[in-house]
Amino acid sequence: MTDAQRAATTAADGRRPRRGPRAALAAATALPVLAACGVGAEPVHHPELSDGEVTISFAWWGADARTQQTLEAIELFEREHPNIEVDPQYSDWVGYWDRLATTTAAGDMPDVTQFDQLYLASYADRGALLDLATVSNILDPSALGEDILESGRVGGDLYALATGATTNGILINTTLFERYGVELPDTADWTWEEFERVAVELTEASDGEVHGVSPFGIDTFSLTVWARQHGGNLFDDEGNLILDADVLAGYWQRVRDFVASGAAPSVPHISESIGLPLDQTPMVTGETALGFIPAGQFIAFQAAGPEFDYALADWPTDEDAPEGFQYLKPSMYWAAASTTEHPAEAALLIDFLVNDTRVADIFGLDRGEPGNPAFREAMRDSLDEPGQESLAFTEAMAEEVGDTPPITPNGASDVDLVLQRHFLDMLHGDASPREAAEGFLGELNDSITAAS
């Protein structure tokens, strides 16, 4: 998940203090570590629903809008199943994984959880997640399609169902380009040279009041797209780290080039922008006009910056970029605890969340473009203009994407934090792009090896 994603999923009251990137890293890396031993119980195959009163816990991360949507869905589920009470548990991104690690280690993981691919293999390999094949008498995931289902498998077993998926895209503040009279190239087929050129032109046209681009560099989603543009990937199917140091060095050198040319803001400005809440990010405040985002966040950006008009575009390329470098990244997942005392009811809730089209009307695109096609059709007419644009972009990109890469392996759940730390070393000149790349790869490989 990118920093913009984390920022968009602040606590329900929406308040979060501003803090520097190094302080944020220190807080995030202080999360409890899930115990290495298995934490699950022997699963009951094809459990039956209870006729008595049952309470199951349901945990998710997200901002207030997501929380209100989810509470509305819970209320609908409880009306349909009056003997089942759902105990809601929600927090911001960091607090969520902190609490989840603690409760899982204590054998008290919530019955149903919203999950992220960064942690899926880690929890599954430790036996914390329920094998969903054991509840196939209640949970029917077939509407999601094999590609979506494959993204929730670990070691061949299905542990989670993706809520939806999104590509990575370029967010464009078209208002700023119009204000300063800078013409965009054809974004359907633009090159990196054209991308940087218009970014520099915007910086110069605004006399530095606005910079052209908020650079990438600190999240594995955009890094994976960059690697695939250059014929590589982060991990292979066996969970090995296969990213070439030269590819990563080139990724970060591009950031340095943006800063040097004036396309991007200064190093201190970039550094201070990391970890800001979404409504304080440069793309929302109008300090930059181009940014790299998961396309599913388009609605959140448009809502946070109503005085601007935004558009979405595919990444620029070089002429030798392979087709299919973009991919549909699972937005998040639904999973159940292997320790649940009520696997049938937990499965029933997940089935409701992925198959009942009334949920589509409630959630909209908040959790990404739905993996269930029936959900997309159910919500299509009710989406506002930004929602329609976001859905249209993702559907168009779905025709061009390549295979979904392997999920983050066990031992690499902190990959974004490690990436950000070495990015900051590079950005501040404490390491060259090549040195920072080698440091990142060495540290991450050691972590994966230690967990195997």
Side-chain angles (χ1 to χ4, degrees):
M1 174 172 276
T2 66
D3 286 287
Q5 284 174 293
R6 294 188 184 99
T9 55
T10 51
D13 66 1
R15 295 188 296 270
R16 182 177 179 182
R18 291 184 60 162
R19 56 183 179 177
R22 298 185 189 277
L25 278 172
T29 53
L31 300 182
V33 177
L34 194 63
C37 58
V39 295
E42 250 335 285
V44 176
H45 288 265
H46 292 179
E48 295 299 323
L49 292 167
S50 173
D51 293 329
E53 298 293 320
V54 170
T55 298
I56 57 173
S57 51
F58 176 22
W60 68 90
W61 71 85
D64 185 62
R66 178 178 296 165
T67 292
Q68 295 308 313
Q69 293 165 1
T70 311
L71 292 174
E72 184 179 347
I74 288 173
E75 183 179 350
L76 177 59
F77 176 80
E78 289 178 331
R79 287 203 304 268
E80 294 288 317
H81 306 283
N83 69 312
I84 304 175
E85 179 182 351
V86 179
D87 173 27
Q89 301 175 5
Y90 46 91
S91 65
D92 67 349
W93 167 263
V94 173
Y96 181 84
W97 297 106
D98 187 353
R99 182 164 65 181
L100 188 63
T102 301
T103 56
T104 302
D108 192 29
M109 185 179 182
D111 297 286
V112 175
T113 52
Q114 183 177 288
F115 236 80
D116 187 85
Q117 70 93 19
L118 282 173
Y119 298 94
L120 182 57
S122 176
Y123 276 73
D125 283 351
R126 288 164 170 79
L129 301 182
L130 182 69
D131 181 350
L132 298 181
T134 64
V135 289
S136 61
N137 58 317
I138 296 172
L139 173 57
D140 178 11
S142 59
L144 299 183
E146 189 53 40
D147 287 345
I148 293 290
L149 293 178
E150 186 62 31
S151 71
R153 298 188 196 278
V154 180
D157 294 323
L158 185 63
Y159 290 103
L161 300 181
T163 64
T166 187
T167 60
N168 209 287
I170 305 296
L171 181 68
I172 305 172
N173 187 325
T174 57
T175 300
L176 293 178
F177 279 96
E178 292 171 2
R179 179 181 299 170
Y180 294 106
V182 177
E183 185 176 353
L184 283 163
D186 181 3
T187 59
D189 189 28
W190 54 349
T191 65
W192 281 107
E193 182 180 355
E194 290 174 320
F195 180 87
E196 185 168 3
R197 173 179 58 77
V198 296
V200 171
E201 286 179 5
L202 185 60
T203 301
E204 293 175 346
S206 68
D207 291 326
E209 183 177 339
V210 173
H211 281 82
V213 59
S214 293
F216 48 39
I218 56 173
D219 71 281
T220 48
F221 193 2
S222 61
L223 173 57
T224 301
V225 175
W226 173 271
R228 288 162 65 99
Q229 268 203 2
H230 295 80
N233 222 322
L234 266 69
F235 309 108
D236 64 17
D237 291 331
E238 285 71 48
N240 300 307
L241 181 62
I242 59 172
L243 180 64
D244 187 278
D246 287 336
V247 171
L248 178 52
Y251 175 70
W252 282 336
Q253 183 61 53
R254 179 76 67 176
V255 175
R256 283 195 169 184
D257 292 344
F258 285 161
V259 174
S261 68
S266 66
V267 167
H269 188 279
I270 295 172
S271 181
E272 288 301 314
S273 298
I274 295 173
L276 289 176
L278 186 141
D279 62 357
Q280 296 177 26
T281 57
M283 282 299 299
V284 172
T285 60
E287 296 171 87
T288 55
L290 297 165
F292 299 78
I293 68 165
Q297 284 192 341
F298 177 78
I299 299 171
F301 275 94
Q302 185 63 78
E307 68 272 32
F308 300 117
D309 289 325
Y310 295 96
L312 277 170
D314 194 4
W315 275 38
T317 61
D318 293 321
E319 62 179 25
D320 58 348
E323 294 183 0
F325 63 84
Q326 285 277 13
Y327 70 99
L328 287 169
K329 178 184 180 295
S331 307
M332 55 197 73
Y333 299 88
W334 303 123
S338 61
T339 52
T340 179
E341 296 179 0
H342 305 290
E345 286 73 19
L348 189 66
L349 176 56
I350 295 176
D351 187 81
F352 167 78
L353 293 170
V354 300
N355 287 319
D356 194 314
T357 55
R358 292 173 296 178
V359 174
D361 289 330
I362 297 171
F363 287 175
L365 296 174
D366 180 71
R367 289 179 167 94
E369 182 190 345
N372 187 335
F375 273 39
R376 295 197 294 272
E377 294 309 312
M379 71 172 64
R380 191 179 300 276
D381 293 340
S382 63
L383 293 173
D384 58 14
E385 186 175 344
Q388 295 281 1
E389 186 169 349
S390 177
L391 182 60
F393 178 80
T394 302
E395 288 185 331
M397 291 294 293
E399 301 298 320
E400 303 180 20
V401 297
D403 293 339
T404 300
I407 65 172
T408 303
N410 189 12
S413 295
D414 287 339
V415 57
D416 278 2
L417 298 173
V418 178
L419 186 71
Q420 184 172 316
R421 178 155 35 80
H422 288 280
F423 169 84
L424 288 170
D425 286 344
M426 179 280 302
L427 188 67
H428 290 284
D430 296 331
S432 69
R434 175 73 191 202
E435 290 168 340
E438 290 176 346
F440 164 77
L441 294 171
E443 182 176 346
L444 187 61
N445 192 61
D446 287 346
S447 181
I448 295 171
T449 302
S452 61

